[in-house]
Amino acid sequence: MSKGGSAKIKSRVNRIAGQVAGIQRMVEEDRYCVDILNQIAAVRSALDALGIELLSQHLECCVLGHGTGTEHAQAEPMSKDQLVDEVRTVLARFLK
């Protein structure tokens, strides 16, 4: 993941953490159920956007950039078939 991409991801994660903390406060304050459900929907949407961003960066850096030095430091060497299988697995989990 690139430095700029990492900062973008961290910013999104921090925003989501704040939203989840907001849900916790809302529950503790016995707020109206529909308001809490709306906030949960917003968090789900934010998590989906985070997942799409991470997947896009993974495809760009680790799959298309495989072997060029742009892949994540923890990425294991893989064949093209293994990379495609990894993407299939990740997509199947993400889209559930």
Side-chain angles (χ1 to χ4, degrees), residues 1 5 15 22 33 44-46 51 63-64 66 82 93:
M1 179 178 338
R15 191 167 35 250
C33 296
R44 282 183 173 169
S45 178
V63 177
L64 296 176
H66 180 71
Q82 290 172 313
R93 288 181 188 149

Side-chain angles (χ1 to χ4, degrees), residues 14-75:
N14 288 335
R15 191 167 35 250
I16 292 166
Q19 288 177 299
V20 171
I23 292 170
Q24 183 176 12
R25 280 190 305 276
M26 292 172 81
V27 169
E28 290 169 356
E29 295 168 358
D30 198 28
R31 296 276 298 271
Y32 187 54
C33 296
V34 172
D35 293 339
I36 297 169
L37 290 167
N38 286 337
Q39 189 61 27
I40 290 170
V43 170
R44 282 183 173 169
S45 178
L47 284 169
D48 285 345
L50 173 63
I52 290 168
E53 182 65 31
L54 278 169
L55 181 58
S56 297
Q57 287 187 21
H58 176 68
L59 289 171
E60 183 180 329
C61 297
C62 298
V63 177
L64 296 176
H66 180 71
T68 66
T70 64
E71 63 270 4
H72 192 277
Q74 294 179 2

